[in-house]
Amino acid sequence: MSESRTTADFYFDPLCPWAWMTSRWMLEVEQVRPVDVRWKVMSLAVLNENRLDEVPAEYREMLETQAWGPVRVVIAAKELHGEEVVGKLYTALGTRFHNNGEGPTREAIVGALTDVGLPEDLVEYADKDTYDAELRASHTEGIAKVGQDVGTPVIAVPGADGDEVAFFGPVVTPTPRGEAAARLWDGTLLVASTPGFYEIKRTRTSEPSFH
Protein backbone atom coordinates (compact mmCIF):
# COMPACT_ATOMS: atom_id res chain seq x y z
CA MET A 1 0.00 0.00 0.00
CA SER A 2 1.23 3.48 -0.78
CA GLU A 3 1.83 5.78 2.16
CA SER A 4 -0.93 8.35 2.55
CA ARG A 5 0.19 11.89 1.87
CA THR A 6 -0.39 14.92 4.03
CA THR A 7 -0.69 18.61 3.14
CA ALA A 8 1.67 21.25 4.50
CA ASP A 9 0.47 24.85 4.24
CA PHE A 10 3.37 27.17 3.41
CA TYR A 11 2.76 30.88 4.03
CA PHE A 12 5.23 33.05 2.13
CA ASP A 13 6.03 36.56 1.07
CA PRO A 14 7.87 36.40 -2.29
CA LEU A 15 10.07 39.31 -1.23
CA CYS A 16 11.84 37.36 1.53
CA PRO A 17 15.04 35.58 0.42
CA TRP A 18 15.04 33.31 3.47
CA ALA A 19 11.47 32.17 2.85
CA TRP A 20 12.56 31.47 -0.71
CA MET A 21 15.33 29.19 0.54
CA THR A 22 12.89 27.34 2.78
CA SER A 23 10.38 26.98 -0.06
CA ARG A 24 12.97 25.27 -2.25
CA TRP A 25 13.67 22.89 0.62
CA MET A 26 9.94 22.11 0.80
CA LEU A 27 10.01 21.10 -2.86
CA GLU A 28 12.72 18.62 -1.90
CA VAL A 29 10.62 17.40 1.04
CA GLU A 30 7.78 16.65 -1.37
CA GLN A 31 10.10 14.22 -3.16
CA VAL A 32 11.39 12.37 -0.10
CA ARG A 33 8.42 12.42 2.30
CA PRO A 34 4.66 11.92 1.72
CA VAL A 35 4.02 15.67 1.83
CA ASP A 36 2.24 17.98 -0.60
CA VAL A 37 2.77 21.72 -0.23
CA ARG A 38 -0.17 24.10 -0.43
CA TRP A 39 1.13 27.60 -1.11
CA LYS A 40 -0.44 30.52 0.72
CA VAL A 41 0.37 34.22 1.01
CA MET A 42 1.42 36.18 4.05
CA SER A 43 2.74 39.73 4.00
CA LEU A 44 5.72 41.42 5.59
CA ALA A 45 4.03 44.74 4.85
CA VAL A 46 0.94 43.75 6.83
CA LEU A 47 3.02 42.18 9.60
CA ASN A 48 5.01 45.37 10.15
CA GLU A 49 2.54 48.10 9.25
CA ASN A 50 1.90 49.09 12.86
CA ARG A 51 5.54 49.00 13.94
CA LEU A 52 7.37 50.81 11.18
CA ASP A 53 8.92 53.16 13.72
CA GLU A 54 10.59 50.17 15.36
CA VAL A 55 12.39 48.76 12.30
CA PRO A 56 15.65 49.99 10.73
CA ALA A 57 15.27 52.79 8.17
CA GLU A 58 16.45 50.66 5.23
CA TYR A 59 14.01 47.88 6.07
CA ARG A 60 11.20 50.40 6.59
CA GLU A 61 11.83 51.87 3.13
CA MET A 62 11.68 48.39 1.60
CA LEU A 63 8.39 47.67 3.35
CA GLU A 64 6.88 50.95 2.18
CA THR A 65 8.12 50.90 -1.42
CA GLN A 66 8.52 47.23 -2.43
CA ALA A 67 6.63 44.89 -0.13
CA TRP A 68 3.02 45.47 -1.19
CA GLY A 69 3.29 44.90 -4.94
CA PRO A 70 4.39 41.26 -5.22
CA VAL A 71 1.95 39.86 -2.64
CA ARG A 72 -0.90 41.84 -4.16
CA VAL A 73 -0.15 40.36 -7.58
CA VAL A 74 0.00 36.83 -6.16
CA ILE A 75 -3.28 37.18 -4.30
CA ALA A 76 -4.92 38.69 -7.39
CA ALA A 77 -3.68 35.74 -9.46
CA LYS A 78 -5.17 33.36 -6.90
CA GLU A 79 -8.53 35.12 -6.81
CA LEU A 80 -8.81 35.41 -10.60
CA HIS A 81 -7.12 32.22 -11.79
CA GLY A 82 -7.34 29.74 -8.94
CA GLU A 83 -5.24 28.46 -6.06
CA GLU A 84 -3.28 26.15 -8.35
CA VAL A 85 -1.36 29.06 -9.91
CA VAL A 86 0.07 30.32 -6.61
CA GLY A 87 3.00 27.91 -6.30
CA LYS A 88 3.98 28.27 -9.95
CA LEU A 89 3.88 32.05 -9.76
CA TYR A 90 5.89 32.04 -6.52
CA THR A 91 8.57 29.94 -8.19
CA ALA A 92 8.71 32.31 -11.16
CA LEU A 93 8.83 35.42 -8.95
CA GLY A 94 11.42 33.97 -6.58
CA THR A 95 13.64 32.81 -9.42
CA ARG A 96 13.66 36.29 -10.91
CA PHE A 97 13.82 38.23 -7.64
CA HIS A 98 16.48 36.11 -5.93
CA ASN A 99 18.27 33.64 -8.20
CA ASN A 100 18.51 36.02 -11.14
CA GLY A 101 19.05 39.12 -9.01
CA GLU A 102 16.34 41.14 -10.72
CA GLY A 103 14.73 42.24 -7.46
CA PRO A 104 11.01 42.98 -6.99
CA THR A 105 10.72 45.28 -9.99
CA ARG A 106 7.67 45.74 -12.17
CA GLU A 107 9.63 44.21 -15.05
CA ALA A 108 10.47 41.14 -12.98
CA ILE A 109 6.84 40.68 -11.97
CA VAL A 110 5.69 40.96 -15.60
CA GLY A 111 8.37 38.47 -16.61
CA ALA A 112 7.24 36.02 -13.93
CA LEU A 113 3.62 36.30 -15.02
CA THR A 114 4.68 35.58 -18.59
CA ASP A 115 6.81 32.64 -17.45
CA VAL A 116 3.76 30.85 -16.06
CA GLY A 117 1.29 31.87 -18.74
CA LEU A 118 -0.66 34.39 -16.69
CA PRO A 119 -1.88 37.71 -18.13
CA GLU A 120 0.71 40.46 -17.90
CA ASP A 121 -1.92 42.96 -16.83
CA LEU A 122 -2.10 41.26 -13.43
CA VAL A 123 0.87 43.49 -12.60
CA GLU A 124 -1.57 46.39 -12.37
CA TYR A 125 -2.83 44.94 -9.08
CA ALA A 126 0.56 45.72 -7.51
CA ASP A 127 -0.66 49.27 -6.96
CA LYS A 128 -4.27 48.47 -6.14
CA ASP A 129 -5.95 47.44 -2.90
CA THR A 130 -8.60 45.43 -4.75
CA TYR A 131 -7.80 42.17 -2.97
CA ASP A 132 -6.21 43.55 0.20
CA ALA A 133 -9.02 42.04 2.28
CA GLU A 134 -8.17 38.59 0.92
CA LEU A 135 -4.46 39.26 1.40
CA ARG A 136 -4.99 40.27 5.01
CA ALA A 137 -7.20 37.27 5.65
CA SER A 138 -4.57 34.88 4.31
CA HIS A 139 -1.86 36.61 6.32
CA THR A 140 -3.94 36.55 9.49
CA GLU A 141 -4.71 32.87 9.01
CA GLY A 142 -1.00 32.04 8.85
CA ILE A 143 0.36 34.34 11.53
CA ALA A 144 -2.39 33.36 13.99
CA LYS A 145 -0.92 29.86 14.03
CA VAL A 146 2.44 31.02 15.40
CA GLY A 147 2.05 34.52 16.86
CA GLN A 148 3.20 38.00 15.88
CA ASP A 149 6.87 37.65 16.85
CA VAL A 150 7.97 35.83 13.70
CA GLY A 151 8.18 36.51 9.98
CA THR A 152 7.91 34.43 6.84
CA PRO A 153 7.69 31.54 6.14
CA VAL A 154 5.13 29.88 8.36
CA ILE A 155 4.50 26.17 7.86
CA ALA A 156 1.46 24.33 9.23
CA VAL A 157 1.00 20.58 8.97
CA PRO A 158 -1.06 17.90 10.75
CA GLY A 159 0.97 16.29 13.52
CA ALA A 160 1.23 12.61 14.31
CA ASP A 161 -1.75 12.86 16.67
CA GLY A 162 -3.85 14.78 14.16
CA ASP A 163 -3.43 18.15 15.85
CA GLU A 164 -1.92 20.89 13.72
CA VAL A 165 1.76 21.70 14.16
CA ALA A 166 2.80 25.19 13.00
CA PHE A 167 6.14 26.97 13.11
CA PHE A 168 8.23 29.75 11.59
CA GLY A 169 11.16 28.66 9.44
CA PRO A 170 13.38 26.76 9.34
CA VAL A 171 15.91 29.36 8.21
CA VAL A 172 18.60 27.52 6.26
CA THR A 173 21.13 27.96 3.49
CA PRO A 174 21.98 26.38 1.13
CA THR A 175 18.84 24.40 0.39
CA PRO A 176 19.13 20.86 1.82
CA ARG A 177 18.67 18.21 -0.85
CA GLY A 178 17.69 14.56 -0.84
CA GLU A 179 18.17 12.74 2.44
CA ALA A 180 19.43 15.93 4.11
CA ALA A 181 16.09 17.54 3.30
CA ALA A 182 14.27 14.56 4.77
CA ARG A 183 16.28 14.65 7.99
CA LEU A 184 15.61 18.35 8.46
CA TRP A 185 11.89 17.81 7.91
CA ASP A 186 11.75 14.94 10.39
CA GLY A 187 13.73 16.89 12.98
CA THR A 188 11.72 20.07 12.54
CA LEU A 189 8.46 18.21 13.06
CA LEU A 190 9.91 16.45 16.09
CA VAL A 191 10.86 19.62 17.93
CA ALA A 192 7.83 21.63 16.75
CA SER A 193 5.51 18.88 18.00
CA THR A 194 7.00 18.94 21.48
CA PRO A 195 4.61 20.62 23.94
CA GLY A 196 6.10 23.83 25.30
CA PHE A 197 8.87 23.99 22.71
CA TYR A 198 9.38 27.50 21.30
CA GLU A 199 12.76 28.26 19.83
CA ILE A 200 16.15 27.11 18.58
CA LYS A 201 18.33 29.85 17.15
CA ARG A 202 21.90 30.86 16.35
CA THR A 203 23.43 33.88 14.64
CA ARG A 204 23.35 33.75 10.84
CA THR A 205 26.87 33.85 9.42
CA SER A 206 25.99 33.38 5.74
CA GLU A 207 23.79 35.11 3.22
CA PRO A 208 21.23 33.03 1.29
CA SER A 209 22.90 30.87 -1.34
CA PHE A 210 20.50 30.64 -4.26
CA HIS A 211 22.55 28.31 -6.45
Side-chain angles (χ1 to χ4, degrees), residues 8-9 25-26 145-146 150 153-170 183-200:
D9 288 330
W25 164 66
M26 284 303 301
K145 299 176 186 294
V146 291
V150 302
V154 168
I155 299 174
V157 64
D161 60 0
D163 291 337
E164 184 176 71
V165 175
F167 49 89
F168 160 71
R183 289 196 302 270
L184 179 58
W185 177 251
D186 294 343
T188 299
L189 289 187
L190 177 64
V191 296
S193 300
T194 301
F197 175 84
Y198 295 109
E199 187 172 3
I200 289 179

mmCIF file of all heavy atoms in Angstrom, residues 8-9 25-26 145-146 150 153-170 183-200:
data_model
loop_
_atom_site.group_PDB
_atom_site.id
_atom_site.type_symbol
_atom_site.label_atom_id
_atom_site.label_comp_id
_atom_site.label_asym_id
_atom_site.label_seq_id
_atom_site.Cartn_x
_atom_site.Cartn_y
_atom_site.Cartn_z
ATOM 1 N N ALA A 8 0.998 20.226 3.697
ATOM 2 C CA ALA A 8 1.667 21.251 4.501
ATOM 3 C C ALA A 8 1.345 22.616 3.903
ATOM 4 O O ALA A 8 1.620 22.869 2.727
ATOM 5 C CB ALA A 8 3.176 21.030 4.517
ATOM 6 N N ASP A 9 0.747 23.489 4.687
ATOM 7 C CA ASP A 9 0.469 24.853 4.240
ATOM 8 C C ASP A 9 1.728 25.694 4.445
ATOM 9 O O ASP A 9 2.300 25.724 5.538
ATOM 10 C CB ASP A 9 -0.683 25.460 5.024
ATOM 11 C CG ASP A 9 -2.017 24.846 4.651
ATOM 12 O OD1 ASP A 9 -2.170 24.411 3.488
ATOM 13 O OD2 ASP A 9 -2.917 24.788 5.505
ATOM 14 N N TRP A 25 13.523 24.083 -0.216
ATOM 15 C CA TRP A 25 13.667 22.889 0.620
ATOM 16 C C TRP A 25 12.355 22.109 0.649
ATOM 17 O O TRP A 25 12.354 20.869 0.558
ATOM 18 C CB TRP A 25 14.087 23.299 2.025
ATOM 19 C CG TRP A 25 13.916 22.250 3.073
ATOM 20 C CD1 TRP A 25 14.582 21.058 3.172
ATOM 21 C CD2 TRP A 25 13.013 22.303 4.193
ATOM 22 N NE1 TRP A 25 14.157 20.366 4.287
ATOM 23 C CE2 TRP A 25 13.190 21.114 4.933
ATOM 24 C CE3 TRP A 25 12.098 23.251 4.649
ATOM 25 C CZ2 TRP A 25 12.474 20.844 6.094
ATOM 26 C CZ3 TRP A 25 11.385 22.985 5.795
ATOM 27 C CH2 TRP A 25 11.572 21.789 6.503
ATOM 28 N N MET A 26 11.225 22.808 0.754
ATOM 29 C CA MET A 26 9.943 22.111 0.799
ATOM 30 C C MET A 26 9.663 21.349 -0.489
ATOM 31 O O MET A 26 9.030 20.290 -0.475
ATOM 32 C CB MET A 26 8.805 23.096 1.088
ATOM 33 C CG MET A 26 8.719 23.547 2.536
ATOM 34 S SD MET A 26 8.535 22.194 3.728
ATOM 35 C CE MET A 26 7.020 21.410 3.174
ATOM 36 N N LYS A 145 -1.358 31.199 13.632
ATOM 37 C CA LYS A 145 -0.923 29.862 14.028
ATOM 38 C C LYS A 145 0.361 29.891 14.853
ATOM 39 O O LYS A 145 0.670 28.937 15.570
ATOM 40 C CB LYS A 145 -0.714 28.993 12.781
ATOM 41 C CG LYS A 145 -1.969 28.794 11.932
ATOM 42 C CD LYS A 145 -1.657 28.022 10.674
ATOM 43 C CE LYS A 145 -2.867 27.930 9.742
ATOM 44 N NZ LYS A 145 -3.969 27.146 10.320
ATOM 45 N N VAL A 146 1.124 30.991 14.753
ATOM 46 C CA VAL A 146 2.444 31.025 15.396
ATOM 47 C C VAL A 146 2.677 32.261 16.250
ATOM 48 O O VAL A 146 3.627 32.306 17.036
ATOM 49 C CB VAL A 146 3.565 30.934 14.333
ATOM 50 C CG1 VAL A 146 3.593 29.549 13.701
ATOM 51 C CG2 VAL A 146 3.400 32.003 13.264
ATOM 52 N N VAL A 150 7.193 36.517 14.722
ATOM 53 C CA VAL A 150 7.972 35.827 13.697
ATOM 54 C C VAL A 150 7.727 36.511 12.352
ATOM 55 O O VAL A 150 6.974 37.471 12.252
ATOM 56 C CB VAL A 150 7.589 34.333 13.617
ATOM 57 C CG1 VAL A 150 7.799 33.653 14.965
ATOM 58 C CG2 VAL A 150 6.149 34.159 13.151
ATOM 59 N N PRO A 153 8.953 32.244 6.358
ATOM 60 C CA PRO A 153 7.690 31.544 6.143
ATOM 61 C C PRO A 153 7.104 30.976 7.426
ATOM 62 O O PRO A 153 7.795 30.810 8.424
ATOM 63 C CB PRO A 153 8.115 30.391 5.232
ATOM 64 C CG PRO A 153 9.472 30.014 5.753
ATOM 65 C CD PRO A 153 10.118 31.345 6.100
ATOM 66 N N VAL A 154 5.814 30.663 7.338
ATOM 67 C CA VAL A 154 5.134 29.884 8.359
ATOM 68 C C VAL A 154 4.674 28.594 7.696
ATOM 69 O O VAL A 154 4.122 28.619 6.595
ATOM 70 C CB VAL A 154 3.929 30.647 8.942
ATOM 71 C CG1 VAL A 154 3.057 29.725 9.789
ATOM 72 C CG2 VAL A 154 4.398 31.843 9.755
ATOM 73 N N ILE A 155 4.914 27.481 8.365
ATOM 74 C CA ILE A 155 4.497 26.174 7.857
ATOM 75 C C ILE A 155 3.546 25.559 8.865
ATOM 76 O O ILE A 155 3.799 25.587 10.075
ATOM 77 C CB ILE A 155 5.708 25.247 7.635
ATOM 78 C CG1 ILE A 155 6.663 25.849 6.595
ATOM 79 C CG2 ILE A 155 5.252 23.850 7.192
ATOM 80 C CD1 ILE A 155 7.959 25.082 6.418
ATOM 81 N N ALA A 156 2.439 25.007 8.380
ATOM 82 C CA ALA A 156 1.456 24.334 9.227
ATOM 83 C C ALA A 156 1.141 22.973 8.618
ATOM 84 O O ALA A 156 0.862 22.867 7.419
ATOM 85 C CB ALA A 156 0.191 25.166 9.358
ATOM 86 N N VAL A 157 1.190 21.946 9.454
ATOM 87 C CA VAL A 157 1.003 20.576 8.968
ATOM 88 C C VAL A 157 0.343 19.755 10.070
ATOM 89 O O VAL A 157 0.569 20.004 11.260
ATOM 90 C CB VAL A 157 2.371 19.968 8.566
ATOM 91 C CG1 VAL A 157 3.293 19.847 9.760
ATOM 92 C CG2 VAL A 157 2.205 18.644 7.853
ATOM 93 N N PRO A 158 -0.497 18.771 9.715
ATOM 94 C CA PRO A 158 -1.059 17.902 10.749
ATOM 95 C C PRO A 158 0.043 17.110 11.445
ATOM 96 O O PRO A 158 0.934 16.553 10.786
ATOM 97 C CB PRO A 158 -1.993 16.973 9.958
ATOM 98 C CG PRO A 158 -2.293 17.704 8.691
ATOM 99 C CD PRO A 158 -1.052 18.478 8.376
ATOM 100 N N GLY A 159 0.000 17.062 12.770
ATOM 101 C CA GLY A 159 0.971 16.293 13.520
ATOM 102 C C GLY A 159 0.604 14.826 13.577
ATOM 103 O O GLY A 159 -0.425 14.387 13.045
ATOM 104 N N ALA A 160 1.444 14.043 14.238
ATOM 105 C CA ALA A 160 1.230 12.605 14.314
ATOM 106 C C ALA A 160 -0.077 12.260 15.013
ATOM 107 O O ALA A 160 -0.713 11.243 14.696
ATOM 108 C CB ALA A 160 2.403 11.953 15.045
ATOM 109 N N ASP A 161 -0.504 13.124 15.942
ATOM 110 C CA ASP A 161 -1.745 12.863 16.672
ATOM 111 C C ASP A 161 -2.954 13.516 16.025
ATOM 112 O O ASP A 161 -4.057 13.493 16.568
ATOM 113 C CB ASP A 161 -1.614 13.329 18.117
ATOM 114 C CG ASP A 161 -1.322 14.824 18.232
ATOM 115 O OD1 ASP A 161 -1.213 15.500 17.172
ATOM 116 O OD2 ASP A 161 -1.193 15.325 19.361
ATOM 117 N N GLY A 162 -2.751 14.135 14.867
ATOM 118 C CA GLY A 162 -3.846 14.778 14.159
ATOM 119 C C GLY A 162 -3.982 16.255 14.437
ATOM 120 O O GLY A 162 -4.629 16.975 13.669
ATOM 121 N N ASP A 163 -3.404 16.726 15.540
ATOM 122 C CA ASP A 163 -3.435 18.153 15.846
ATOM 123 C C ASP A 163 -2.440 18.901 14.968
ATOM 124 O O ASP A 163 -1.358 18.390 14.653
ATOM 125 C CB ASP A 163 -3.097 18.397 17.318
ATOM 126 C CG ASP A 163 -4.180 17.907 18.251
ATOM 127 O OD1 ASP A 163 -5.339 17.791 17.796
ATOM 128 O OD2 ASP A 163 -3.865 17.626 19.426
ATOM 129 N N GLU A 164 -2.777 20.113 14.594
ATOM 130 C CA GLU A 164 -1.915 20.893 13.715
ATOM 131 C C GLU A 164 -0.634 21.312 14.429
ATOM 132 O O GLU A 164 -0.640 21.711 15.585
ATOM 133 C CB GLU A 164 -2.649 22.126 13.218
ATOM 134 C CG GLU A 164 -1.867 22.946 12.208
ATOM 135 C CD GLU A 164 -2.650 24.107 11.668
ATOM 136 O OE1 GLU A 164 -2.871 25.073 12.422
ATOM 137 O OE2 GLU A 164 -3.056 24.052 10.491
ATOM 138 N N VAL A 165 0.460 21.211 13.710
ATOM 139 C CA VAL A 165 1.756 21.702 14.157
ATOM 140 C C VAL A 165 2.137 22.859 13.244
ATOM 141 O O VAL A 165 2.140 22.704 12.016
ATOM 142 C CB VAL A 165 2.833 20.604 14.093
ATOM 143 C CG1 VAL A 165 4.202 21.169 14.457
ATOM 144 C CG2 VAL A 165 2.470 19.449 15.013
ATOM 145 N N ALA A 166 2.440 24.024 13.807
ATOM 146 C CA ALA A 166 2.802 25.191 13.003
ATOM 147 C C ALA A 166 4.060 25.824 13.569
ATOM 148 O O ALA A 166 4.291 25.801 14.782
ATOM 149 C CB ALA A 166 1.666 26.202 12.968
ATOM 150 N N PHE A 167 4.866 26.389 12.680
ATOM 151 C CA PHE A 167 6.140 26.973 13.106
ATOM 152 C C PHE A 167 6.646 27.941 12.060
ATOM 153 O O PHE A 167 6.254 27.890 10.886
ATOM 154 C CB PHE A 167 7.185 25.880 13.350
ATOM 155 C CG PHE A 167 7.306 24.874 12.226
ATOM 156 C CD1 PHE A 167 8.170 25.079 11.167
ATOM 157 C CD2 PHE A 167 6.529 23.720 12.237
ATOM 158 C CE1 PHE A 167 8.269 24.166 10.128
ATOM 159 C CE2 PHE A 167 6.617 22.796 11.201
ATOM 160 C CZ PHE A 167 7.497 23.013 10.147
ATOM 161 N N PHE A 168 7.507 28.846 12.484
ATOM 162 C CA PHE A 168 8.235 29.745 11.588
ATOM 163 C C PHE A 168 9.534 29.057 11.182
ATOM 164 O O PHE A 168 10.200 28.427 11.988
ATOM 165 C CB PHE A 168 8.552 31.049 12.305
ATOM 166 C CG PHE A 168 9.675 31.838 11.688
ATOM 167 C CD1 PHE A 168 9.514 32.475 10.467
ATOM 168 C CD2 PHE A 168 10.899 31.943 12.329
ATOM 169 C CE1 PHE A 168 10.543 33.195 9.901
ATOM 170 C CE2 PHE A 168 11.939 32.667 11.776
ATOM 171 C CZ PHE A 168 11.766 33.291 10.558
ATOM 172 N N GLY A 169 9.905 29.226 9.898
ATOM 173 C CA GLY A 169 11.163 28.662 9.436
ATOM 174 C C GLY A 169 10.968 27.271 8.846
ATOM 175 O O GLY A 169 9.872 26.916 8.437
ATOM 176 N N PRO A 170 12.022 26.448 8.860
ATOM 177 C CA PRO A 170 13.377 26.761 9.337
ATOM 178 C C PRO A 170 14.123 27.707 8.397
ATOM 179 O O PRO A 170 13.850 27.744 7.200
ATOM 180 C CB PRO A 170 14.055 25.384 9.370
ATOM 181 C CG PRO A 170 13.344 24.590 8.315
ATOM 182 C CD PRO A 170 11.914 25.066 8.346
ATOM 183 N N ARG A 183 15.883 14.595 6.586
ATOM 184 C CA ARG A 183 16.281 14.645 7.991
ATOM 185 C C ARG A 183 15.858 15.958 8.633
ATOM 186 O O ARG A 183 15.389 15.975 9.779
ATOM 187 C CB ARG A 183 17.799 14.460 8.121
ATOM 188 C CG ARG A 183 18.298 13.054 7.818
ATOM 189 C CD ARG A 183 19.715 12.870 8.349
ATOM 190 N NE ARG A 183 20.637 13.848 7.783
ATOM 191 C CZ ARG A 183 21.334 13.666 6.664
ATOM 192 N NH1 ARG A 183 21.193 12.540 5.959
ATOM 193 N NH2 ARG A 183 22.168 14.598 6.226
ATOM 194 N N LEU A 184 16.014 17.060 7.902
ATOM 195 C CA LEU A 184 15.609 18.349 8.456
ATOM 196 C C LEU A 184 14.108 18.392 8.677
ATOM 197 O O LEU A 184 13.641 18.926 9.691
ATOM 198 C CB LEU A 184 16.052 19.492 7.533
ATOM 199 C CG LEU A 184 15.667 20.899 7.993
ATOM 200 C CD1 LEU A 184 16.225 21.207 9.378
ATOM 201 C CD2 LEU A 184 16.144 21.954 6.980
ATOM 202 N N TRP A 185 13.342 17.855 7.753
ATOM 203 C CA TRP A 185 11.889 17.807 7.911
ATOM 204 C C TRP A 185 11.505 16.988 9.139
ATOM 205 O O TRP A 185 10.716 17.441 9.974
ATOM 206 C CB TRP A 185 11.244 17.219 6.659
ATOM 207 C CG TRP A 185 9.759 17.065 6.756
ATOM 208 C CD1 TRP A 185 9.048 15.907 6.866
ATOM 209 C CD2 TRP A 185 8.778 18.117 6.738
ATOM 210 N NE1 TRP A 185 7.697 16.154 6.910
ATOM 211 C CE2 TRP A 185 7.505 17.505 6.841
ATOM 212 C CE3 TRP A 185 8.856 19.507 6.642
ATOM 213 C CZ2 TRP A 185 6.325 18.248 6.854
ATOM 214 C CZ3 TRP A 185 7.678 20.243 6.664
ATOM 215 C CH2 TRP A 185 6.428 19.621 6.762
ATOM 216 N N ASP A 186 12.080 15.803 9.257
ATOM 217 C CA ASP A 186 11.749 14.941 10.393
ATOM 218 C C ASP A 186 12.117 15.618 11.712
ATOM 219 O O ASP A 186 11.343 15.595 12.680
ATOM 220 C CB ASP A 186 12.497 13.610 10.278
ATOM 221 C CG ASP A 186 12.046 12.785 9.081
ATOM 222 O OD1 ASP A 186 10.968 13.060 8.529
ATOM 223 O OD2 ASP A 186 12.798 11.867 8.698
ATOM 224 N N GLY A 187 13.285 16.244 11.760
ATOM 225 C CA GLY A 187 13.729 16.888 12.982
ATOM 226 C C GLY A 187 12.911 18.116 13.328
ATOM 227 O O GLY A 187 12.597 18.359 14.498
ATOM 228 N N THR A 188 12.541 18.881 12.311
ATOM 229 C CA THR A 188 11.724 20.074 12.543
ATOM 230 C C THR A 188 10.366 19.693 13.111
ATOM 231 O O THR A 188 9.881 20.306 14.071
ATOM 232 C CB THR A 188 11.553 20.866 11.237
ATOM 233 O OG1 THR A 188 12.835 21.278 10.758
ATOM 234 C CG2 THR A 188 10.686 22.094 11.452
ATOM 235 N N LEU A 189 9.747 18.664 12.537
ATOM 236 C CA LEU A 189 8.457 18.211 13.057
ATOM 237 C C LEU A 189 8.598 17.674 14.476
ATOM 238 O O LEU A 189 7.703 17.881 15.319
ATOM 239 C CB LEU A 189 7.865 17.127 12.149
ATOM 240 C CG LEU A 189 7.343 17.566 10.791
ATOM 241 C CD1 LEU A 189 6.646 16.399 10.107
ATOM 242 C CD2 LEU A 189 6.388 18.752 10.908
ATOM 243 N N LEU A 190 9.703 17.010 14.752
ATOM 244 C CA LEU A 190 9.911 16.453 16.085
ATOM 245 C C LEU A 190 9.948 17.547 17.144
ATOM 246 O O LEU A 190 9.234 17.486 18.151
ATOM 247 C CB LEU A 190 11.211 15.642 16.122
ATOM 248 C CG LEU A 190 11.591 15.047 17.478
ATOM 249 C CD1 LEU A 190 10.552 14.026 17.931
ATOM 250 C CD2 LEU A 190 12.975 14.399 17.392
ATOM 251 N N VAL A 191 10.753 18.575 16.906
ATOM 252 C CA VAL A 191 10.858 19.619 17.926
ATOM 253 C C VAL A 191 9.597 20.481 17.957
ATOM 254 O O VAL A 191 9.127 20.880 19.033
ATOM 255 C CB VAL A 191 12.114 20.499 17.726
ATOM 256 C CG1 VAL A 191 13.371 19.670 17.894
ATOM 257 C CG2 VAL A 191 12.106 21.197 16.379
ATOM 258 N N ALA A 192 9.019 20.780 16.786
ATOM 259 C CA ALA A 192 7.834 21.631 16.747
ATOM 260 C C ALA A 192 6.625 20.950 17.387
ATOM 261 O O ALA A 192 5.712 21.629 17.864
ATOM 262 C CB ALA A 192 7.510 22.025 15.312
ATOM 263 N N SER A 193 6.620 19.633 17.416
ATOM 264 C CA SER A 193 5.508 18.884 17.996
ATOM 265 C C SER A 193 5.638 18.719 19.507
ATOM 266 O O SER A 193 4.700 18.239 20.151
ATOM 267 C CB SER A 193 5.419 17.493 17.349
ATOM 268 O OG SER A 193 5.224 17.584 15.956
ATOM 269 N N THR A 194 6.776 19.103 20.054
ATOM 270 C CA THR A 194 7.002 18.939 21.483
ATOM 271 C C THR A 194 6.247 20.007 22.262
ATOM 272 O O THR A 194 6.468 21.206 22.042
ATOM 273 C CB THR A 194 8.502 19.034 21.812
ATOM 274 O OG1 THR A 194 9.203 18.014 21.085
ATOM 275 C CG2 THR A 194 8.755 18.877 23.302
ATOM 276 N N PRO A 195 5.356 19.620 23.170
ATOM 277 C CA PRO A 195 4.610 20.622 23.943
ATOM 278 C C PRO A 195 5.555 21.554 24.699
ATOM 279 O O PRO A 195 6.515 21.110 25.336
ATOM 280 C CB PRO A 195 3.791 19.764 24.913
ATOM 281 C CG PRO A 195 3.632 18.451 24.220
ATOM 282 C CD PRO A 195 4.924 18.244 23.489
ATOM 283 N N GLY A 196 5.287 22.848 24.593
ATOM 284 C CA GLY A 196 6.096 23.834 25.302
ATOM 285 C C GLY A 196 7.376 24.223 24.599
ATOM 286 O O GLY A 196 8.093 25.111 25.078
ATOM 287 N N PHE A 197 7.662 23.611 23.436
ATOM 288 C CA PHE A 197 8.874 23.993 22.707
ATOM 289 C C PHE A 197 8.621 25.267 21.914
ATOM 290 O O PHE A 197 7.616 25.390 21.236
ATOM 291 C CB PHE A 197 9.312 22.889 21.742
ATOM 292 C CG PHE A 197 10.485 23.291 20.894
ATOM 293 C CD1 PHE A 197 11.766 23.169 21.378
ATOM 294 C CD2 PHE A 197 10.292 23.836 19.635
ATOM 295 C CE1 PHE A 197 12.847 23.568 20.616
ATOM 296 C CE2 PHE A 197 11.365 24.243 18.866
ATOM 297 C CZ PHE A 197 12.651 24.110 19.360
ATOM 298 N N TYR A 198 9.570 26.220 21.984
ATOM 299 C CA TYR A 198 9.379 27.499 21.299
ATOM 300 C C TYR A 198 10.491 27.865 20.335
ATOM 301 O O TYR A 198 10.223 28.400 19.269
ATOM 302 C CB TYR A 198 9.201 28.624 22.324
ATOM 303 C CG TYR A 198 7.950 28.465 23.140
ATOM 304 C CD1 TYR A 198 8.009 28.109 24.474
ATOM 305 C CD2 TYR A 198 6.700 28.634 22.553
ATOM 306 C CE1 TYR A 198 6.852 27.942 25.228
ATOM 307 C CE2 TYR A 198 5.533 28.473 23.295
ATOM 308 C CZ TYR A 198 5.621 28.122 24.623
ATOM 309 O OH TYR A 198 4.480 27.949 25.356
ATOM 310 N N GLU A 199 11.742 27.630 20.665
ATOM 311 C CA GLU A 199 12.763 28.257 19.835
ATOM 312 C C GLU A 199 14.102 27.531 19.903
ATOM 313 O O GLU A 199 14.528 27.088 20.961
ATOM 314 C CB GLU A 199 12.964 29.714 20.290
ATOM 315 C CG GLU A 199 13.881 30.537 19.409
ATOM 316 C CD GLU A 199 13.881 32.008 19.788
ATOM 317 O OE1 GLU A 199 13.205 32.358 20.777
ATOM 318 O OE2 GLU A 199 14.549 32.797 19.108
ATOM 319 N N ILE A 200 14.723 27.412 18.726
ATOM 320 C CA ILE A 200 16.146 27.113 18.582
ATOM 321 C C ILE A 200 16.697 28.184 17.657
ATOM 322 O O ILE A 200 16.090 28.476 16.624
ATOM 323 C CB ILE A 200 16.405 25.727 17.969
ATOM 324 C CG1 ILE A 200 16.056 24.618 18.962
ATOM 325 C CG2 ILE A 200 17.857 25.593 17.518
ATOM 326 C CD1 ILE A 200 16.266 23.230 18.409
#
